[in-house]
Amino acid sequence: LRNAKTASDDASVLLKIFEIKSHESQYKEIINEIIFSTNQQNPMQSYMLRANDSIQLDLAEFFESKGVFYERRKNEFHTFKRRPKYQGFSKLKIVDLAKILMISKNGARGVVQFKQKKKELFRDPSTYKSTFNGENAEIFFQYCIYEIVSHVFKKDIKRNGKRFLESTTFGIVWALLKAEPAKYSTWKNEVNKNQYKTIPSKNAKLKAFCNDIKTIFGEILNHGTKLEKTIPGFKSPQDFIKNEEANIQVFNKLKSRERMLRKHFDEALR
């Protein structure tokens, strides 16, 4: 084609045509599944095949309204970040959001499930829909809590292999906050209304909450050392990312941290 100078009447293009009745209740969903299924044969990351379905488009629009660029394709933010519209935006990768959602929904098991089902998550329709099936306001709340935990790990925790413990730490923090029904809806609404209150550099009152996160991290390490003697195959705290039983035990162990964590988070939002 590159060297062709004239069009040829002998050229042909293979087409596959699907006929869908536009009044069908699942019209958009059927189209998304056709796009996903017919493109799986291409050498492309599975999450990129979901980039244009209605769930992801809705999330992208919602996060954009919050000043967050939801990166549904690899390196997409690099292409758009210099545009005036996206100045000052933070970035959230689709795979990172999938991790946040799976841990938020499944707790201790979600930490390991994401590691094991990372590829399957976007390929299997049932797993994909159940993971991303949530209210935008709640998803944004989960994202903001994850960002606080991530901030603490980047700024205050100096340790090799710490990234293996970030997921477990977030899972515990989220579980402790979610288990407070009297305050949960109020917190969710406040975070969606005033996101800056969940940004440590903009809200000094988050300091006590961040210290709670560091304490939880320290206790995970201490408990992990004990688990090396009781759980077969558990050799170091880095194994939290792949050992479900270890996560379950440490989640249960740290339930006692709920009172102070909730108190400090509540104070930070006032």
Side-chain angles (χ1 to χ4, degrees):
L1 288 177
R2 182 181 301 169
N3 298 320
K5 296 181 179 179
T6 59
S8 172
D9 292 334
D10 296 327
S12 61
V13 177
L14 179 64
L15 295 177
K16 183 184 288 186
I17 299 175
F18 298 87
E19 183 178 359
I20 305 171
K21 297 178 181 179
S22 60
H23 64 270
E24 290 185 17
S25 59
Q26 296 180 315
Y27 175 67
K28 290 185 178 179
E29 185 175 338
I30 292 172
I31 291 177
N32 289 334
E33 288 304 320
I34 290 174
I35 293 171
F36 182 79
S37 298
T38 55
N39 281 284
Q40 285 196 69
Q41 55 194 300
N42 298 327
M44 186 182 295
Q45 294 284 356
S46 57
Y47 68 83
M48 294 178 68
L49 298 177
R50 296 289 187 186
N52 281 330
D53 77 16
S54 56
I55 294 174
Q56 299 305 323
L57 292 174
D58 182 54
L59 283 169
E61 183 178 355
F62 182 80
F63 274 106
E64 183 175 307
S65 72
K66 301 292 187 181
V68 179
F69 188 95
Y70 183 48
E71 190 174 66
R72 296 167 289 130
R73 302 179 184 83
K74 188 177 181 179
N75 298 325
E76 187 178 28
F77 185 54
H78 180 75
T79 303
F80 290 95
K81 66 181 180 180
R82 288 183 174 82
R83 295 186 181 183
K85 178 181 179 179
Y86 298 112
Q87 293 299 305
F89 271 49
S90 55
K91 179 180 73 173
L92 171 61
K93 295 181 179 180
I94 184 175
V95 176
D96 289 337
L97 181 61
K99 175 174 69 175
I100 293 169
L101 297 180
M102 184 163 276
I103 295 173
S104 298
K105 291 176 185 293
N106 301 322
R109 290 180 174 84
V111 175
V112 179
Q113 285 175 344
F114 177 76
K115 177 71 174 178
Q116 295 175 338
K117 297 183 178 181
K118 189 174 180 178
K119 293 182 179 179
E120 177 189 336
L121 192 158
F122 290 96
R123 292 189 181 279
D124 179 64
S126 178
T127 305
Y128 170 70
K129 291 173 185 176
S130 65
T131 300
F132 283 92
N133 179 30
E135 175 199 15
N136 284 346
E138 182 170 42
I139 290 174
F140 185 70
F141 186 17
Q142 294 163 350
Y143 158 74
C144 288
I145 298 301
Y146 182 83
E147 283 294 284
I148 297 174
V149 173
S150 182
H151 167 85
V152 171
F153 268 70
K154 290 174 183 176
K155 183 177 182 295
D156 298 323
I157 296 177
K158 312 295 182 184
R159 178 185 169 86
N160 291 333
K162 65 182 182 181
R163 67 186 182 88
F164 294 99
L165 294 173
E166 185 172 299
S167 294
T168 298
T169 304
F170 163 70
I172 291 172
V173 171
W174 176 255
L176 295 180
L177 292 177
K178 181 67 183 290
E180 178 54 273
K183 293 280 188 179
Y184 181 79
S185 293
T186 301
W187 290 340
K188 179 183 69 176
N189 293 336
E190 185 61 29
V191 167
N192 275 266
K193 183 180 178 181
N194 295 301
Q195 180 195 358
Y196 77 91
K197 291 185 178 180
T198 64
I199 302 175
S201 63
K202 296 183 179 181
N203 184 3
K205 291 190 292 184
L206 274 174
K207 184 176 181 179
F209 182 67
C210 290
N211 286 336
D212 291 334
I213 293 173
K214 286 189 286 184
T215 299
I216 288 173
F217 168 78
E219 292 190 13
I220 292 172
L221 284 180
N222 291 336
H223 196 58
T225 302
K226 299 175 183 177
L227 294 179
E228 292 173 22
K229 302 176 182 179
T230 60
I231 298 181
F234 189 87
K235 299 178 180 180
S236 74
Q238 294 185 18
D239 287 334
F240 272 110
I241 199 71
K242 57 185 179 182
N243 193 295
E244 186 174 301
E245 178 59 29
N247 280 280
I248 291 173
Q249 286 199 31
V250 80
F251 266 60
N252 291 332
K253 183 73 174 179
L254 295 179
K255 283 182 178 179
S256 60
R257 278 282 162 197
E258 60 188 11
R259 181 173 171 274
M260 291 306 296
L261 185 84
R262 294 170 185 169
K263 176 178 180 292
H264 291 150
F265 186 67
D266 189 56
E267 291 173 348
L269 294 187
R270 291 179 185 173

